[in-house]
Amino acid sequence: TLAMLLFNNLCEEFEYTCFIPGTNLKGDYEEMKRSMYSSMHHHGRKVEQGGERVKLRSRLLLVLDDIQNAHVDFLFYISSDFDCGNSRYIVTSRNREILNRCIVTSRDKDVKAEVFLVDFLSYKSSKKLFMIHAFSYPTNPSPSLLQWIEQIVTKCEGLPITLVVMGSYLKGKDDESIWEECFHALDKAEKIVDFEDRLWSKLQVSYDRLNPKEQE
């Protein structure tokens, strides 16, 4: 995800780092705090004993990916434990109203979140991303697959995760019938109205074609 990409690019600049999906933050504040500390790293090494050795007022990079309403207060309170003036908090959500409510404490001052809206990839960028994952040599695909490349990229709707998953699944598969089958499965999934359900249905296309061991 983009959140993980940002985290990987920034983590070397911070003493403590933590990337945690919102789905892992459950329960009350203390339970969420324990979950966060269990994912904490200090200069790239996992912190022992669930975070008891984390020094407060340290420089922290915290990424909360796909947060819900319950996590807004957690973000506010956890920021007061660290020196937010030198720390960075990155949160993602599919709900803009949640992002607009995010506030952290920075040296006794409340700081509102700066919200960035992430748009879908253009067709050109989508194709480039797909080709990188689908072919060892992206500039020289088999001519018989060109029509399916164009159609499959379009069906991925500019979503990076779908493009990466589908490209990785199709890598090394030169049988045109496999590409055609993949396209028709994506086309069927596209008829689902709800965006999130449609996304998961498209990811399911590649999952269903893995053998049991790969699925596990």
Side-chain angles (χ1 to χ4, degrees):
T1 65
L2 291 176
M4 179 60 78
L5 180 62
L6 279 171
F7 177 80
N8 290 336
N9 286 340
L10 294 171
C11 62
E12 290 185 0
E13 302 175 18
F14 295 85
E15 183 179 1
Y16 286 94
T17 58
C18 179
F19 180 98
I20 185 167
T23 53
N24 289 2
L25 292 175
K26 300 176 181 178
D28 59 20
Y29 173 73
E30 289 301 323
E31 290 177 288
M32 291 185 190
K33 189 175 180 179
R34 285 194 294 271
S35 295
M36 187 195 79
Y37 281 155
S38 69
S39 300
M40 188 78 70
H41 287 73
H42 180 243
H43 292 306
R45 299 184 65 179
K46 191 172 179 64
V47 174
E48 298 178 1
Q49 299 180 354
E52 289 85 350
R53 298 183 183 179
V54 174
K55 296 180 180 179
L56 301 183
R57 300 297 170 186
S58 298
R59 196 158 184 252
L60 169 69
L61 170 64
L62 175 63
V63 178
L64 305 180
D65 195 16
D66 196 14
I67 65 170
Q68 304 299 323
N69 278 310
H71 304 134
V72 174
D73 289 339
F74 171 77
L75 175 66
F76 176 79
Y77 290 120
I78 202 68
S79 68
S80 65
D81 287 344
F82 291 85
D83 183 4
C84 185
N86 292 314
S87 296
R88 181 170 296 183
Y89 300 87
I90 299 173
V91 298
T92 68
S93 176
R94 284 167 282 183
N95 187 330
R96 185 175 181 178
E97 292 182 2
I98 291 177
L99 295 176
N100 288 335
R101 290 174 48 223
C102 288
I103 297 175
V104 296
T105 299
S106 175
R107 296 172 181 172
D108 300 323
K109 294 182 180 180
D110 292 346
V111 180
K112 290 186 176 181
E114 185 170 355
V115 179
F116 298 89
L117 300 182
V118 181
D119 204 353
F120 299 111
L121 295 179
S122 66
Y123 176 80
K124 182 178 180 181
S125 296
S126 295
K127 184 177 180 180
K128 181 178 180 180
L129 179 61
F130 175 82
M131 296 290 281
I132 289 172
H133 289 274
F135 298 99
S136 299
Y137 303 97
T139 58
N140 191 31
S142 170
S144 65
L145 300 178
L146 291 178
Q147 64 165 322
W148 300 116
I149 292 172
E150 306 291 331
Q151 295 182 75
I152 288 173
V153 168
T154 299
K155 293 298 180 184
C156 289
E157 301 184 84
L159 290 167
I161 188 171
T162 312
L163 291 158
V164 169
V165 168
M166 297 312 303
S168 299
Y169 163 66
L170 291 167
K171 187 171 184 177
K173 295 179 173 62
D174 296 324
D175 188 340
E176 189 176 349
S177 65
I178 296 177
W179 286 68
E180 182 177 3
E181 179 189 6
C182 181
F183 165 74
H184 288 302
L186 289 172
D187 186 56
K188 182 179 180 181
E190 193 172 34
K191 294 177 172 60
I192 299 174
V193 176
D194 181 80
F195 175 78
E196 188 168 337
D197 289 343
R198 186 166 70 250
L199 168 61
W200 285 112
S201 293
K202 291 190 175 184
L203 296 178
Q204 191 80 23
V205 170
S206 62
Y207 177 81
D208 288 343
R209 286 156 178 78
L210 299 175
N211 62 51
K213 184 177 180 180
E214 291 173 322
Q215 289 182 348
E216 185 65 28

